[in-house]
Structure formats: structure tokens, C-alpha cells
Amino acid sequence: MMEEDMENGRSYQERPRTFSTVRSKSSIPLVFRLLMRINPRALIILSLLVFSGVLYVGASTSPIVVFVFCICTLSLFFSLYLTKWVLAKDEGPPEMSEISDAIRDGAEGFFRTQYGTISKMACILAFVILGIYLFRNTTPQQEASGLGRATSAYITVVSFLLGALCSGIAGFVGMWVSVRANVRVSSAARRSAREALQIAVRAGGFSAIVVVCMAVFGVAILYSTFYVWLGVDSPGSMKVTDLPLLLVGYGFGASFVALFAQLGGGIYTKAADVGADLVGKVEQGIPEDDPRNPAVIADLVGDNVGDCAARGADLFESIAAEIISAMILGGTMAQRCKIEDPSGFILFPLVVHSFDLVVSSVGILSIRGTRESGLISTIEDPMSIMQKGYSVTIMLAVLTFGVSTRWLLYTEQAPSAWLNFALCGLVGIITAYAFVWISKYYTDYKHEPVRLLALSSSTGHGTNIIAGVSLGMESTALPVLVISVAIISAYWLGQTSGLVDESGNPTGGLFGTAVATMGMLSTAGYVLTMDMFGPIADNAGGIVEMSQQPESVREITDVLDAVGNTTKATTKGFAIGSAALASFLLFSAYMDEVASFAQLPFKEVDIAVPEIFVGGLLGSMLIFLFSAWACSAVGKTAQEVVNEVRRQFIERPGIMDYKEKPDYGRCVAIVASASLREMMRPGALAIISPMAVGVVFRILGHSTGQPLLGAKVVASMLMFATVAGILMALFLNTAGGAWDNAKKYIETGALGGKGSESHKAAVTGDTVGDPFKDTAGPSLHVLIKMLATITLVMAPIFL
């Protein structure tokens, strides 16, 4: 009977819900459950009323905001089309659906628990922010507009909570689609490699479009609401150029949730992966996603909570922070230059990302399926297919960016300024493409670095580790050079745009850098699509192997999985580059904020002052300590998984012969509880450190007659942390991705193939790289941006 089951692609004699032990109650957020209970017609009417209200508020603000709202609404309809298209695909045979259900149950259960914990922490932090703002000093601009402490406090807290909520929804959307698309990709791989690729891309595209749309919609609605509510630009009220500063809390809320989502999800996915590999692959000699491995479901669940949910929150935060910082700098520059209508400079980031939704949608649709069957490598390289879509997206982004600058940044004071800013955007677009290419070069096994890393595995585990570390260190050089050229070029183009202040000094430099950042993120929707493709393809491969599908199907998903590793690595490189530019902008906004509160000039930070130099050392130390704690959390959790998997193999010897079923639910429970516990320490470090340093040196500064000492030390801490964090994140992400694909390269049959000594050494390298590329590395670039936003929000307590 067992042999018959195996021939039919089954793993066990008994078929009644092999994976039912990980089932849990529904984890759909309450707001979605309530909406699902509403009559469809009533829901349509309610949606129309809400949309009408939003349009009314937008029309009361600016026609530009109405344009943004319309594009976002159309994009949401496009995402619904993608959802319907993906969900219409079949789920394959029952054994595939069974495994997919187990993955979905585990992912949604962990998501509910994780975000429940994060929401409680966010509420506590909201009360802290409220207390700080209720007792802080007000700026002259706020006093002139009549915006009191209480109003400012409530605005900041509401913005913070809304940013946290939207970031959580972005994470939920990313996970929701991935746990439903994986089985459909697996099923499509039985028919056509190109069809499987198209389903994975469109599923990732749905999540990407929703994430970008929410980031733009959220900022636009918040801006419009404050504009109408506060009566901006009316006599005796706030000026429109000061309004973007009220949105800072939104970016902080998004950063807060993204950091903990990335930490918790990263610890979960890599602890399960390491535990499954060490016992399954190395000790028992079974394949990566073998159904006999008790940790395999936890591993597949981790792909969704760590790579989909966390990355959705991460990219949401990146876009939101970049939009807000660019709006602040645009408003500041327009005020200094006395531009008659500054709304174009302030709302420019929203329009750029609205066009991002359009061009990314075209790029997603450019990837079409075919009915050919067979190995994807005999048809067309999937990476080449996605790069063609990326090329289409980039070409359209260049055109729409030029249109946006001419429409919004043209001013009679400097008629050619818009052209300079268009070139700044081009610098950003080229920078994004360069980052994608560099990451691909260092992590794709079609190129020399990964092949040399794989070759080092043939001489042992130690040489593999040495080669991987050296590759990661080398990979920091080109990205840093690219970022340096981009910042200087964009700053110079902005300075020479012709925009000057009352004294005749050029003022467009920082805004030029902001425009370059917007150019870099002008294809964020498509880049996030490529990132979401990775975990969906990985899950599909696991489902194919666990359901005992033919080898030809597994070969297709193996190729997609390897490409997914590369796309995930390129997205991380892209995110690091955007984090570097966004942090530079937020740092400038922080200095302006401090100057406004202190009513003292704050133009530079002198690291020759001992206290300020110490602040820089503390910032650099923070990066290393945070990375150490994040990797340590993975190691501790993985040890628990290893012990559990070993116990099950010892106590249930029939597992290896398919006579007994592993207890998948036990590993899922271990990883879930441990990851939530372990994420607290590095997360608390990131939040408490800048506030503690600022307050301590503020007290020291007041006692020594240096009123800005606390703010300057925090500025130094932020600068050094940004530099160290960029380098560390590049090293960790690239080394981890290269180790993973070196293992994949050997598994294609090179250097002895699976089971060889080279393969065992490569597995060791991959195990070492797992916490690098999926926990510490991705968390670092979120940490960098969160440090920038938290210092901006908490600036009053440093004075």
C-alpha cells in the first residue's frame, strides 16, 4: 500500500490531513472579518461614499492630490484583477493542497501572534510620544500658526499609529497572497515552466502594488486631512511648507513595525531553515524539503513570514520615509526661495510614486505565460525574462519622471531648474539599476564570484567560509562607489538648478538628492514584485518535493528557486541603497528640526569634539551589537529546533521509512515562541539607544554650557550608524546570498552534486549565511531608517 502511495506521489498510507497539527483559528484581521460580513451591495455603497469623501478632501487640498487618489484607486482595482487571475488557477492534486493548507495555517497563526505583540508595544510607545510632545517646547512657526502642544501631540500620535497600522496591513497582504500562490505555482510547474513563472510574478505583483499604493494613499490622505482640518495657508494658520513636518510620526510608525516584523520573521525563517538543514541534510542525508523532516513545515512557513510579510512592511516603510523626507525638504527649499506656489515641490514625491504604480503594472503585465512544457532552462532563463520586464519598467519610469518634473517643478524663478531635477531623477534610476546589477553579479551562480565560492567548497568547510566572508567584504566596494557618485552628482545638479534664497545662495542641493532618491524608488513596485517572487518560488519547490512530484517538476521549481534567491538579494541591495539616500535626507531634516526648536543655528557636526566623537563610536557600536544579537537569536532558536528534530528521529525511527508521521506542529510552535521572545532584545536596543544617548548628553551639555550638545551627539551617532550600517548590511546580505546560490549551483550537478563533500561544505556555508541574509542584514537597513525617524520625532527631548 505504501509503495502504491509513493508511486502516486503520496508520502503516507493514511491521507486524512497529514499536517492538521499546525491548524489554528482564523487569523484574518478583525477589520477584514467585519467587512466580509457586510452585504456586498452595502459594501459597494460604503466604498463609494468613502471614496467620494476622500476625493472631496483631496479637491479641497490640490488637484495634484486628486490625481494621486485616482491613480491609487485604479491601482487597487488592478491588484484585484491580479488576485482574481492568480486564485483562478488550480491548486493541483490533494497532496499539494494539504501541504499548502499547513503552510497557510502556520503562517497566519504566527502573523496573528507576532503582530498582536507588536501592536501592544506600539500603543505603549504612542503614550510615550504623547507625553514628550505634551511637555515639549513649540517652534516659532507653530506658535505663529496657533498649533498648540496638545494639537501637535495628538497629530503626531495619530500619525504614528496610522503608520504602524498601514505597515501591519502591508505585511498581512504580502503574506496572504504568498500562502495562496505557492501551491498554484507548484501545480503550474507540472504543465509549463513559463506559466509557473508568470503566476509567481503576478502573485508578487499583487502584493507589491498594494504595498506601494498604501504608502502613497496613506501619506496623501494624512496630508489632505491635516490641510483641510488646520485650514492651512489661511490667515493666521500654518503655512503649507511647514505641513510635511507633521507627517513624521507616520514614517516612525512604519519603521517601528517594519523593524520588529523583520526581526521576528527573520529569526523564525532562518532558525527553522538552519535546524532543518543541519539535521535533515547533513546528519540524515535527506533532501531539503523532504516530508520526513519534522522542521520542514516550519521552514516553509518562515519563507512567508520572513520574506513576504516582513519585506512588505519593509518596503512600505522605505517608500513612506522617502516620501515624507522629500516633502519636508521640498517645502523647506520652496520657503527659502520664496516660490509663489510651493505645492508642486511638496507633492512631487506622491506623483512620482503614483507613476511608479503605473509603470510597474505595465512591467508586471509584460511577463506573459506560454503553453510550452519542459525545463525552463531549455526555453528561456527566468532571470532574463524578469530583467526584460524591469527594462520596460525603467524606460517608462524615465519618461514619466521627466513629465513629472516638468509638470510640478517648473518655476519662473529658474525656468531650467526642472531639467536639472529630471537629471537628478535619472541619476537615481541609474543608481537603482546599478545596485540590481551589482547584487546579481555577486549572488547569481552564472557569474564568477559564486562559482569561485562553490569551487572553494571542494577543499572543505573552512575554505568555503573564508571565501564567503571575503566575497561579502569585497561586495561593499562597488555599491559604496555608486552611492557616493549618486549623492555628489544629485547634490551638484540641485545646486546648479538656479534656485537661490533671499541672499542669492544656491539652495537646491539637498532637494536634488531627494529627487535622486525618488528616482531610485520610481520602480519600487516592480522591484518588490521580484522580491516577492523569491519566497513564493521557494515554497512552490517545497510543496513539489513534499508531495513527491516527478523529478522534472522539481527541476523547474529548483531553477525558479535559485532565481528567487538572486532576486531577493538584488532587492535587499536596492533597499540598502535607498536607505542610505533616505537617511541622508532625514538627517538633514533632523538638523533643521533641531534648529527650529532651539532657535539656534545647527549647520554642522564637529567630530573633533570629544563628546561628539564618542557619539559616533556609540553609533558604530550599535550596528555591530544589533547584528550580533540578531544572529545570536537565530542561533539560539535553531538549537532548540535541532534538538527537537533529533529527538523525533530517535524516538520515532519509523519516520525515515514513512511508517510514522513527524510532529510538524511541535517545530512550528518552538520556532514561533522563540522568535517572538528573541526579537525583543535587539528591537529594544534600537529604540532606547538614541533616546538614552540624547538625554544623557543633553544633561551633560546643560551643565557645561553647551545647549545643543545632546542634539549634536545624536546627530553624530546617526551619521556613524548609517555609514557602518550600510557597509554591514551589504556584507551580510551579499555573503548570505552567495553562500545560498553556491549550494544551489552544486545541487545542479556541478562539483559532485548533491551528497558530495563539496555539497556538505556548501550546506555549512549556507547555514552560516542564513542569519546574515534574512535576519541581521535586512533588519539593518530598517534600523538605519528607524534611527533617522526616531531622532526626528524625539528631537525635543535632546534640547
Side-chain angles (χ1 to χ4, degrees), residues 288-480:
E288 181 173 357
D289 296 316
D290 196 288
R292 293 169 291 181
N293 194 326
V296 67
I297 291 293
D299 185 11
L300 295 174
V301 168
D303 292 332
N304 296 284
V305 299
D307 289 331
C308 291
R311 195 77 73 250
D314 177 7
L315 264 294
F316 173 88
E317 180 269 337
S318 294
I319 296 168
E322 177 269 335
I323 289 175
I324 293 170
S325 60
M327 291 175 75
I328 292 173
L329 291 176
T332 301
M333 186 192 70
Q335 188 176 28
R336 290 174 179 172
C337 297
K338 302 297 182 182
I339 293 176
E340 185 175 349
D341 183 13
S343 60
F345 289 85
I346 296 172
L347 298 175
F348 179 66
L350 294 174
V351 173
V352 168
H353 284 292
S354 298
F355 279 123
D356 171 22
L357 291 167
V358 176
V359 301
S360 296
S361 299
V362 174
I364 292 167
L365 292 176
S366 69
I367 298 179
R368 298 182 175 274
T370 59
R371 295 301 303 175
E372 294 98 333
S373 59
L375 279 176
I376 199 164
S377 56
T378 63
I379 303 172
E380 194 172 359
D381 177 22
M383 192 68 198
S384 299
I385 296 172
M386 284 191 285
Q387 282 186 323
K388 288 178 182 178
Y390 187 45
S391 298
V392 170
T393 306
I394 282 183
M395 288 188 292
L396 292 175
V398 171
L399 293 176
T400 56
F401 207 94
V403 171
S404 301
T405 51
R406 180 61 180 82
W407 174 24
L408 299 174
L409 302 185
Y410 178 82
T411 174
E412 295 292 341
Q413 294 177 230
S416 63
W418 72 271
L419 183 58
N420 280 48
F421 291 127
L423 292 176
C424 290
L426 183 61
V427 167
I429 293 172
I430 293 173
T431 301
Y433 188 83
F435 262 87
V436 169
W437 183 87
I438 292 168
S439 299
K440 178 178 178 295
Y441 174 74
Y442 279 108
T443 57
D444 193 335
Y445 62 59
K446 294 182 179 65
H447 301 291
E448 184 181 17
V450 174
R451 295 202 173 198
L452 290 176
L453 176 57
L455 183 61
S456 69
S457 303
S458 61
T459 53
H461 302 252
T463 50
N464 172 277
I465 300 300
I466 293 171
V469 170
S470 63
L471 183 150
M473 290 181 175
E474 179 188 322
S475 69
T476 62
L478 286 177
V480 168

Side-chain angles (χ1 to χ4, degrees), residues 150-299:
T151 304
S152 178
Y154 291 126
I155 284 176
T156 304
V157 169
V158 169
S159 300
F160 171 79
L161 292 175
L162 182 62
L165 175 64
C166 291
S167 183
I169 295 174
F172 176 78
V173 167
M175 182 211 64
W176 186 90
V177 67
S178 66
V179 297
R180 287 161 176 79
N182 50 17
V183 69
R184 291 168 170 83
V185 175
S186 302
S187 178
R190 300 181 305 148
R191 299 185 297 272
S192 164
R194 186 68 178 260
E195 183 185 354
L197 171 68
Q198 186 186 25
I199 293 173
V201 168
R202 290 198 171 189
F206 159 74
S207 178
I209 294 298
V210 171
V211 167
V212 177
C213 188
M214 283 183 55
V216 177
F217 228 148
V219 175
I221 288 176
L222 208 58
Y223 177 89
S224 302
T225 302
F226 290 159
Y227 186 97
V228 174
W229 177 41
L230 298 175
V232 173
D233 274 348
S234 59
S237 64
M238 174 178 285
K239 295 181 180 179
V240 70
T241 52
D242 297 323
L243 182 57
L245 279 171
L246 299 180
L247 309 178
V248 173
Y250 186 84
F252 181 31
S255 299
F256 176 82
V257 172
L259 179 66
F260 281 96
Q262 190 68 70
L263 272 173
I267 294 169
Y268 186 112
T269 182
K270 289 303 107 181
D273 194 3
V274 169
D277 283 355
L278 286 179
V279 183
K281 278 187 175 182
V282 178
E283 296 183 8
Q284 299 295 331
I286 58 178
E288 181 173 357
D289 296 316
D290 196 288
R292 293 169 291 181
N293 194 326
V296 67
I297 291 293
D299 185 11

Side-chain angles (χ1 to χ4, degrees), residues 5-40:
D5 281 345
M6 290 295 294
E7 289 176 2
N8 292 330
R10 299 177 178 178
S11 304
Y12 301 100
Q13 293 177 352
E14 300 174 12
R15 299 309 300 165
R17 301 223 61 87
T18 305
F19 306 101
S20 59
T21 51
V22 297
R23 276 203 169 274
S24 59
K25 63 181 181 180
S26 173
S27 60
I28 299 175
L30 178 62
V31 64
F32 290 110
R33 293 204 300 271
L34 293 175
L35 288 175
M36 290 167 63
R37 295 176 183 175
I38 300 176
N39 182 278

